[in-house]
Amino acid sequence: MPVKRRVTIAQIAEEAGVSVPTVSKVINGRPEVAPETRQRVERLLQKHGYQRRTGQGDGPVGLLDLVFAEIESPWAMELVRGAEQAAHEAAASVVISVLHTHAGPGRDWLERIAARRTDGVIIVSSRLSVRQQGQLSARSIPFVVVDPEGEPPPGVASVGATNWHGGLAATRHLLDLGHTRIGMIGGPPDMLCSRARIDGYRAALETAGVSIDPELIRYGDFLVNSGHDHGHSLLSLDTPPTAIFAGSDMQAFGVFEAARQRGLRVPEDLSVVGFDDLPLSSSAWPPLTTVRQPLEEMAALAARMVLAMGRGENTEARRVELSTDLVIRESTARPR
């Protein structure tokens, strides 16, 4: 089988009709390149699968980038702790970026990363297009996606949790207590983890022979206000649920408040299950029954994977799902 020759900067420059220094500026995130020229060069870098050569001057710099779409929840802080723990073990520091969008890193961010160099990037709950993947690869920046929002593109390493199993376990727990009218508040319908948790909920009901009522399924954003609003909506139905699987701990706290405002007691009048097992869940009143998602471990594993990829290890992409576990506390009980 013929060996595929590695494309050079000079070949990219010739095909793009620009100078070698111009291609080098694009690769290194330098700003003084016209947008049209930059796009043309990046298309060719991606087309040919170009990767920057590494040499003696390209050793670790001691920086890991942790990139969030949003950082409004304590959920994000658990991931920060995990990434910092693994970075500390490798004598590295963590730089946190917040994109304020779920569309993945933009060109400005990519250029800043390329200009200052990084040992690797951990991208949390964002979509990563094939083009963005190519831009990172062309700059020889290793990356791992944590809790991917959609199905990761081929060749992209990712770390997630067994969301389907967690949704199944949460719903089975409520069924085992005797609940048959169970509300479900998921996250955004286009998020992979949200769809998996709802699919687990559906599977538990189907296996138990309980019909699925679309009226009981709502889509939120995993935050408190979403749980509060959808909790009120579910509890105002003509035949309200006796239990709600809230899809996240933050939404469960919102359901707690909605129940309190309606004069309902948890768990005497309404059972509630969360998802995540944030530190707040054990000190809430009542303490929250939830599905533990190993957030710290997920981020720590992603950091170790990125660092290993930077050393030339783990060159083949891996997709890892860490197990979830049901944690039974005091927010669930048999229906009255």
Side-chain angles (χ1 to χ4, degrees), residues 245-320:
F245 172 30
S248 76
D249 288 355
M250 299 305 288
Q251 286 186 157
F253 299 148
V255 172
F256 275 11
E257 180 61 14
R260 186 193 66 79
Q261 291 172 349
R262 302 179 78 89
L264 299 176
R265 297 168 299 163
V266 176
E268 292 86 350
D269 304 311
L270 177 72
S271 287
V272 181
V273 179
F275 198 110
D276 288 328
D277 195 24
L278 299 175
L280 291 170
S281 64
S282 61
S283 57
W285 189 255
L288 179 64
T289 294
T290 188
V291 176
R292 181 179 181 271
Q293 180 175 206
L295 296 168
E296 282 193 38
E297 293 95 323
M298 287 161 60
L301 175 59
R304 295 185 186 107
M305 287 170 66
V306 161
L307 291 167
M309 291 161 68
R311 294 191 298 267
E313 304 169 20
N314 290 351
T315 51
E316 293 186 9
R318 294 168 52 199
R319 295 193 181 184
V320 181

Side-chain angles (χ1 to χ4, degrees), residues 11 33 41 74 95 116 164 171-172 186 235 249 251 288 306:
Q11 291 168 324
V33 179
V41 171
V95 178
R116 67 169 166 77
W164 183 89
T171 311
R172 277 184 173 170
L235 294 171
D249 288 355
Q251 286 186 157
L288 179 64
V306 161

Side-chain angles (χ1 to χ4, degrees), residues 107-221:
R107 178 179 289 115
D108 290 346
W109 179 86
L110 285 165
E111 289 174 0
R112 290 197 301 272
I113 289 292
R116 67 169 166 77
R117 296 185 59 213
T118 180
D119 293 330
V121 178
I122 303 164
I123 302 170
V124 180
S125 293
S126 290
R127 295 185 182 91
L128 191 68
S129 69
V130 174
R131 180 182 177 188
Q132 291 163 338
Q133 175 189 350
Q135 289 170 331
L136 287 165
S137 296
R139 292 163 173 83
S140 295
I141 299 173
F143 60 94
V144 174
V145 181
V146 172
D147 202 15
E149 185 165 307
E151 190 67 27
V156 172
S158 65
V159 179
T162 53
N163 288 288
W164 183 89
H165 182 271
L168 181 81
T171 311
R172 277 184 173 170
H173 169 62
L174 294 170
L175 289 164
D176 289 345
L177 288 172
H179 297 276
T180 55
R181 191 152 176 83
I182 302 169
M184 170 77 220
I185 307 175
D190 58 346
M191 287 190 73
L192 194 63
C193 65
S194 172
R195 296 199 305 269
R197 291 172 199 179
I198 292 174
D199 286 347
Y201 158 87
R202 291 176 180 273
L205 293 179
E206 288 174 349
T207 303
V210 176
S211 60
I212 297 169
D213 184 351
E215 192 176 41
L216 291 176
I217 301 174
R218 306 299 164 96
Y219 295 92
D221 60 11

Side-chain angles (χ1 to χ4, degrees), residues 55-67:
Q56 290 183 341
D58 292 322
V61 295
L63 284 180
L64 274 181
D65 278 84
L66 180 59
V67 186

